[in-house]
Amino acid sequence: MEASMNVLFSVRKSKINRNRQLPIYIRVTIGGSRFETSTGKTVLEEKWSAGSGRVKGSSIEAREINGFLDSLIGKVHGIQRQIIQEGLVMSIEVFKNKWLGVDEKSIDLLKVFEDHNSKVNDLVGIEYAYATYMRYQTTLRHTREFIFWKFNAKQMDVRKLNFQFISAFEFYLKSVKKVGHNATMKYLANLKKIVLICVKSEFIPRDPFFAFKMAKHEVDRTALTEQEMKSIEGKNFDIPRLEQVRDIFLFCCYTGLAYADVAKLKASNIGEGAVGEKWINIKRQKTDSVARIPLLPQASNLLRKYANHAGVEQGFLLPVLSNQKMNAYLKEIGDVCNIRKPITFHLARHTFATTVTLSNGVPIESVSRMLGHRSLKTTQIYAKVVDSKLSQDMRRLSELLHIKDSD
């Protein structure tokens, strides 16, 4: 919705001249912001009508001044039409520049996006993960393709960004690119960061994402059941690469580490806890938050198994392959073990959160800390309490109530 525009004429009593005349000012208000400037005309105070914003009477002088003020009204509406025709966002800054004849150079949204991504790339390994850079690059590509699809253009003036642009981009991602709702919201969130750069740099007066809802749909995250874990764990593989991938996957099931974190796991990340047990201390690559995880016996055994493995690169603890290869081999493992649900490397993190920890009574606050989450809300999304745990809890409650009734 375009901002409303109002025009008002008034006199300035504080600026009376030697002839006892007051200067007449024009004030244009757009969306609560004002632009005020002198009309160059003056009038005696007793001849000015504050109610109508015009000079009283029908004298030649009154008709001349009122006619001039009417022409300024025409100029205001002419600028308004020009802004609309150029597809710019109606704002007091844009109006003021048009009124004063200031030649504004257009700023390309895609250029701002490219500059941002270049800086992110320079900070990969320092403040950002490479995967984060690639997500911004993907969003840039979608934005560029959308602008060409929608406007048949290779650039987009940031002053033309509005609510309709955001809505159309959402429609494009879902209908043309066939992107799911939550992934679409992630792309829009990446674009919003670029838009906010434009706002803070005063390229545009306000955030076009204002009032645009970017809520994600709740996802029912799957995890391996205890039986499925045992099936994978107890399977003998004749192919070494499948055994290797299986073991690293299980290591993550017992630690909750994501792919990027297990791939960079080093001996320096292993320390001792308060009573001498082994802990993993690692800064998560995705969120830069610290995760502290006590090593379960199953995870410790796997580390010992690969302590002298030929495939372990110097300085690292496990022979981790590329994420693409790991997921491809995990699909094979799922087929061999007759597990119907799709197995990806990230499934290990869900399994740790639900089957290994929450289902065995570990408090969600402890799980959240081990996962390296900044918010407990994030853990609640990840860690769905499985039915078996609910059954156990209700069985304990039933037994407790039975004991109380007996008393």
Side-chain angles (χ1 to χ4, degrees):
M1 181 182 294
E2 292 291 347
S4 60
M5 184 178 70
N6 295 303
V7 185
L8 176 70
F9 292 103
S10 62
V11 294
R12 291 279 183 88
K13 295 182 180 181
S14 61
K15 294 190 176 183
I16 188 170
N17 64 20
R18 65 181 64 184
N19 296 322
R20 294 178 50 250
Q21 291 182 319
L22 307 177
I24 303 174
Y25 276 71
I26 181 173
R27 177 194 298 167
V28 179
T29 304
I30 300 175
S33 298
R34 297 175 176 178
F35 166 63
E36 198 166 26
T37 187
S38 173
T39 65
K41 299 294 183 180
T42 58
V43 65
L44 292 171
E45 182 176 358
E46 60 269 22
K47 292 186 177 181
W48 180 254
S49 172
S52 64
R54 294 292 190 278
V55 179
K56 298 176 183 176
S58 57
S59 64
I60 294 176
E61 180 187 25
R63 291 199 303 271
E64 179 187 338
I65 294 177
N66 289 339
F68 179 75
L69 299 184
D70 289 339
S71 70
L72 292 183
I73 293 287
K75 180 179 178 180
V76 168
H77 291 302
I79 292 175
Q80 182 185 37
R81 286 192 298 271
Q82 184 182 358
I83 292 173
I84 293 173
Q85 289 169 357
E86 292 179 6
L88 302 178
V89 175
M90 182 66 67
S91 69
I92 203 66
E93 289 83 3
V94 173
F95 178 89
K96 179 180 176 181
N97 288 328
K98 293 289 186 184
W99 180 277
L100 298 176
V102 176
D103 183 21
E104 288 186 294
K105 293 183 178 179
S106 66
I107 299 173
D108 182 19
L109 170 66
L110 298 177
K111 181 64 169 60
V112 178
F113 213 144
E114 288 169 356
D115 290 344
H116 165 270
N117 288 7
S118 177
K119 292 175 182 177
V120 171
N121 188 35
D122 290 341
L123 293 173
V124 168
I126 302 174
E127 292 186 14
Y128 298 98
Y130 180 72
T132 301
Y133 166 70
M134 289 307 300
R135 282 194 290 271
Y136 278 118
Q137 283 290 85
T138 302
T139 307
L140 170 59
R141 175 170 54 82
H142 284 318
T143 306
R144 181 181 289 111
E145 291 171 354
F146 163 70
I147 291 171
F148 187 80
W149 174 82
K150 178 71 175 177
F151 305 102
N152 194 29
K154 294 184 178 180
Q155 61 182 17
M156 178 72 183
D157 190 340
V158 297
R159 295 173 299 168
K160 295 183 179 181
L161 293 175
N162 53 24
F163 182 87
Q164 288 73 22
F165 178 93
I166 308 302
S167 298
F169 188 36
E170 178 192 19
F171 172 80
Y172 168 80
L173 288 171
K174 291 181 176 180
S175 64
V176 178
K177 305 301 287 188
K178 307 300 181 185
V179 176
H181 175 80
N182 285 358
T184 295
M185 293 302 107
K186 289 180 181 179
Y187 289 133
L188 288 174
N190 290 341
L191 176 63
K192 183 174 182 178
K193 182 181 178 183
I194 308 305
V195 170
L196 290 178
I197 290 174
C198 294
V199 174
K200 293 175 183 177
S201 302
E202 298 183 350
F203 299 154
I204 54 177
R206 63 181 183 274
D207 180 11
F209 276 90
F210 177 75
F212 184 87
K213 294 182 179 180
M214 294 204 305
K216 293 181 180 179
H217 294 163
E218 185 174 344
V219 178
D220 185 15
R221 299 184 183 273
T222 59
L224 292 178
T225 64
E226 186 176 353
Q227 291 73 21
E228 289 168 337
M229 280 187 66
K230 288 180 179 178
S231 174
I232 294 175
E233 200 163 5
K235 188 71 176 178
N236 291 320
F237 292 99
D238 296 328
I239 305 174
R241 61 175 169 80
L242 292 183
E243 180 181 356
Q244 176 182 328
V245 170
R246 183 273 308 273
D247 289 344
I248 297 171
F249 175 78
L250 287 173
F251 180 83
C252 291
C253 287
Y254 287 116
T255 60
L257 291 180
Y259 171 81
D261 300 320
V262 74
K264 67 176 185 179
L265 190 65
K266 297 182 177 182
S268 58
N269 298 123
I270 308 298
E272 289 191 357
V275 293
E277 73 278 24
K278 296 295 183 181
W279 285 61
I280 293 176
N281 300 285
I282 192 168
K283 182 174 285 189
R284 290 205 62 216
Q285 185 163 316
K286 181 178 179 181
T287 61
D288 203 36
S289 58
V290 176
R292 300 188 70 248
I293 311 152
L295 270 176
L296 293 171
Q298 295 89 335
S300 295
N301 292 337
L302 289 169
L303 287 180
R304 282 192 292 271
K305 178 177 178 179
Y306 288 93
N308 298 308
H309 192 274
V312 177
E313 294 185 19
Q314 187 175 4
F316 297 97
L317 294 180
L318 292 168
V320 181
L321 306 178
S322 70
N323 199 7
Q324 184 178 7
K325 287 184 178 179
M326 296 286 281
N327 284 325
Y329 296 154
L330 282 173
K331 187 179 184 304
E332 287 187 52
I333 291 170
D335 293 338
V336 171
C337 296
N338 295 317
I339 297 174
R340 294 184 177 181
K341 66 182 62 170
I343 301 180
T344 62
F345 203 86
H346 203 64
L347 184 67
R349 192 164 164 82
H350 303 321
T351 301
F352 173 79
T354 58
T355 308
V356 175
T357 54
L358 285 181
S359 294
N360 288 301
V362 179
I364 193 170
E365 294 81 5
S366 299
V367 176
S368 182
R369 185 174 180 183
M370 287 188 286
L371 290 173
H373 287 163
R374 296 182 182 275
S375 168
L376 189 63
K377 185 178 180 180
T378 306
T379 314
Q380 291 168 336
I381 295 173
Y382 259 94
K384 177 191 68 175
V385 181
V386 294
D387 293 342
S388 60
K389 178 61 169 57
L390 292 175
S391 298
Q392 293 172 16
D393 291 341
M394 293 306 293
R395 187 163 56 250
R396 292 192 191 101
L397 175 60
S398 178
E399 292 171 355
L400 179 62
L401 293 176
H402 179 71
I403 292 173
K404 287 184 177 180
D405 288 341
S406 299
D407 293 342

